[in-house]
Amino acid sequence: MQLLLLFYGTVVPVNWAWHLLTRPIAPGWTLVLVLDVIVAMLAFVSVALIRQGHFRIAIKLFVGASLASLMLAYHRLGTNALLIDQVMVILTLVISGLVLGRRALWTVFGILLLVFAIGYVADANNTERSEYWARNSWRNAPGLVLSYLLIAIILDRTLTALRESLADANARRRELQQEMAERERAQAQLIHAQKLEATGRLASGVAHDFNNILDVILGFSKQRHRIGEADDLRTQASELADTLEGVEIAARRGTAITRKLLSFSRSDLLRLEVFDAGQAIAELQPMLRQLFPPDVRVAYTAADMPLPVRLDRSEFELMILNIAANARDAMPDGGRFTVTTTRLADDAIEIAMADSGHGMDERVQRRIFEPFFTTKSAADGTGLGLAVIRDLITAGGGQIDVSSAVGAGATFRIHLPLATMQVLPEEHGKSAMAL
């Protein structure tokens, strides 16, 4: 619209300038010249108003000025003004209908009929015109009115169809926006549900690990009865110290679980370090013995050389305790649980943990490392333990497999790559090992 107004405001004065340079102005047309120049100036004013955000006001100003100019020109020249003002008439119809709506279109059409009537009255009262000129003007009046009526009807139906299409498009857009909003709400609810599910699974896994730790602490606490049976106070003190040391180790394992739980919200990485897997398992022996009931014999066969691995030590220890807890559940009537560490020839180590429990069939063996698969009840297991163990071992470059048969127990074999151990200078009174 700004381009149209700029074009009109520029072309009309240029056209009049060309006209004046080629021939003199006809008598009575000076008023038309002045009116056209005024309307051209108002076209630039309308552009300025549009740029300031007053769109409808600018259009009303231009259309009103154009109609006023037509009315004065027809009053002065009669229907002779049609010789140069056809573009102005059609332009006012198009702009009013396109921008201001149907009511404005038909209002402008009615005003144009009034303008034409003023022109015909001016022709009838013009004594300089012959009677034939007046009669010829009135004969042309119906055709002229019908022509502009047809233009107005076409504009009306076209603009109505465009506005209906626009309304349908806006309705579809609102429906699409509503559907998108509903999908966003559904997605937010799904994410919330997934968060709750993940939190529940995390809580179940942590509760499972804490349950193993508490079983160890309960095993040590039950030793108080045997301590009281000893006659020698020194023996009682020694056994009490061993028991408290076991409780302390178990509590440290619980602290490690708590640290992992706190770091979960911060997305911390694993605290990788190089340590001797054989020594770590040896230090777990008191906890392993307390994890099992008295009718289960626990044996550990260690390799005769260091077995350095690079893992998160707390995760490694929880892994051993988790497999041991599964073995305990598989031997409700007692049995034997053995842990064997071996250094293989291909720069790897093997940790074999075997039990004499009820074993597993082939179907269970195929799915045992799947997340959330468990043969236990919902209160006893989450199905996350072995899946997490497999991910931990795989991240460390190793692998885990199981061999079992129904009624013949199960054996878990963990293969881990060897890491080069290097003793670093002591820091804060403690030595560390790294790659």
Side-chain angles (χ1 to χ4, degrees):
M1 186 58 64
Q2 292 182 61
L3 290 175
L4 176 63
L5 293 174
L6 289 174
F7 179 80
Y8 183 87
T10 304
V11 169
V12 170
V14 170
N15 184 50
W16 272 108
W18 174 258
H19 180 81
L20 294 176
L21 289 175
T22 56
R23 58 184 179 273
I25 189 170
W29 286 81
T30 304
L31 176 63
V32 177
L33 169 62
V34 173
L35 293 175
D36 284 349
V37 172
I38 293 174
V39 174
M41 294 176 59
L42 290 176
F44 289 107
V45 174
S46 298
V47 172
L49 290 174
I50 291 175
R51 298 184 67 85
Q52 294 177 2
H54 306 292
F55 184 72
R56 294 183 65 86
I57 295 177
I59 301 304
K60 290 179 179 179
L61 174 64
F62 179 75
V63 171
S66 300
L67 292 174
S69 173
L70 288 172
M71 188 174 297
L72 292 174
Y74 275 67
H75 180 268
R76 178 68 180 84
L77 299 176
T79 56
N80 192 36
L82 287 170
L83 297 175
I84 61 172
D85 286 330
Q86 292 288 333
V87 175
M88 175 63 71
V89 174
I90 297 176
L91 189 62
T92 54
L93 280 174
V94 173
I95 293 179
S96 60
L98 182 64
V99 177
L100 302 178
R102 295 183 63 191
R103 179 180 298 179
L105 171 65
W106 291 108
T107 300
V108 170
F109 177 76
I111 295 175
L112 288 175
L113 293 182
L114 177 62
V115 170
F116 295 152
I118 292 174
Y120 290 123
V121 171
D123 287 338
N125 296 329
N126 192 346
T127 58
E128 298 178 359
R129 299 290 185 183
S130 63
E131 184 180 353
Y132 173 77
W133 175 273
R135 288 198 305 269
N136 187 57
S137 297
W138 283 106
R139 281 196 299 267
N140 293 331
L144 180 67
V145 172
L146 289 176
S147 298
Y148 282 102
L149 177 62
L150 180 61
I151 294 174
I153 292 174
I154 293 175
L155 286 174
D156 179 77
R157 299 316 305 162
T158 302
L159 295 175
T160 300
L162 289 175
R163 292 182 185 278
E164 290 176 353
S165 299
L166 180 60
D168 292 339
N170 289 333
R172 288 194 295 270
R173 178 178 59 83
R174 288 191 294 270
E175 292 177 358
L176 180 59
Q177 289 178 344
Q178 184 177 3
E179 182 179 356
M180 292 175 62
E182 292 176 356
R183 289 184 178 181
E184 290 178 357
R185 286 194 295 269
Q187 184 178 7
Q189 293 175 356
L190 177 60
I191 293 174
H192 181 66
Q194 290 175 343
K195 288 181 179 179
L196 291 178
E197 181 182 5
T199 304
R201 291 171 178 173
L202 175 65
S204 299
V206 172
H208 183 70
D209 290 336
F210 263 112
N211 186 61
N212 294 337
I213 299 296
L214 293 176
D215 287 342
V216 174
I217 295 175
L218 287 174
F220 278 114
S221 65
K222 292 179 181 179
Q223 291 186 3
R224 69 184 184 276
H225 302 294
R226 295 196 298 271
I227 294 174
E229 296 175 356
D231 297 331
D232 187 5
L233 293 178
R234 181 175 297 178
T235 302
Q236 292 181 4
S238 177
E239 292 180 354
L240 180 60
D242 293 340
T243 300
L244 292 177
E245 182 180 1
V247 172
E248 180 184 0
I249 294 174
R252 288 179 179 176
R253 300 296 179 270
T255 302
I257 296 175
T258 303
R259 185 178 67 249
K260 289 297 178 183
L261 181 61
L262 293 175
S263 65
F264 173 78
S265 60
R266 302 193 301 269
S267 300
D268 290 345
L269 298 176
L270 294 176
R271 300 176 60 180
L272 299 179
E273 59 179 312
V274 176
F275 59 92
D276 188 345
Q279 180 182 356
I281 295 175
E283 293 176 357
L284 282 177
Q285 288 308 299
M287 296 184 65
L288 288 175
R289 291 189 176 91
Q290 295 303 320
L291 185 63
F292 290 94
D295 54 358
V296 175
R297 290 176 296 171
V298 179
Y300 172 52
T301 303
D304 56 358
M305 60 185 66
L307 303 174
V309 294
R310 188 170 186 265
L311 290 172
D312 187 314
R313 179 159 181 165
S314 62
E315 294 286 352
F316 175 81
E317 293 171 348
L318 290 174
M319 173 182 70
I320 301 298
L321 291 175
N322 198 308
I323 295 178
N326 290 338
R328 176 200 60 196
D329 297 337
M331 298 182 291
D333 299 326
R336 181 179 178 84
F337 178 74
T338 60
V339 181
T340 304
T341 55
T342 308
R343 185 165 183 171
L344 304 178
D346 55 351
D347 293 332
I349 70 168
E350 180 186 80
I351 304 173
M353 288 173 281
D355 64 73
S356 59
H358 50 64
M360 296 175 284
D361 57 25
E362 293 183 1
R363 183 188 67 85
V364 175
Q365 291 184 58
R366 287 194 301 268
R367 302 189 58 191
I368 194 171
F369 296 109
E370 294 181 7
F372 311 112
F373 173 78
T374 179
T375 58
K376 302 177 183 179
S377 63
D380 296 329
T382 62
L384 287 172
L386 291 177
V388 173
I389 290 173
R390 182 195 58 183
D391 292 342
L392 174 66
I393 294 172
T394 302
Q399 61 181 15
I400 181 174
D401 56 50
V402 60
S403 59
S404 179
V406 178
T411 301
F412 287 86
R413 289 183 173 85
I414 300 173
H415 292 172
L416 292 170
L418 281 173
T420 302
M421 298 183 66
Q422 178 182 358
V423 178
L424 299 179
E426 291 190 357
E427 182 181 357
H428 303 293
K430 297 181 179 179
S431 62
M433 292 181 290
L435 287 176

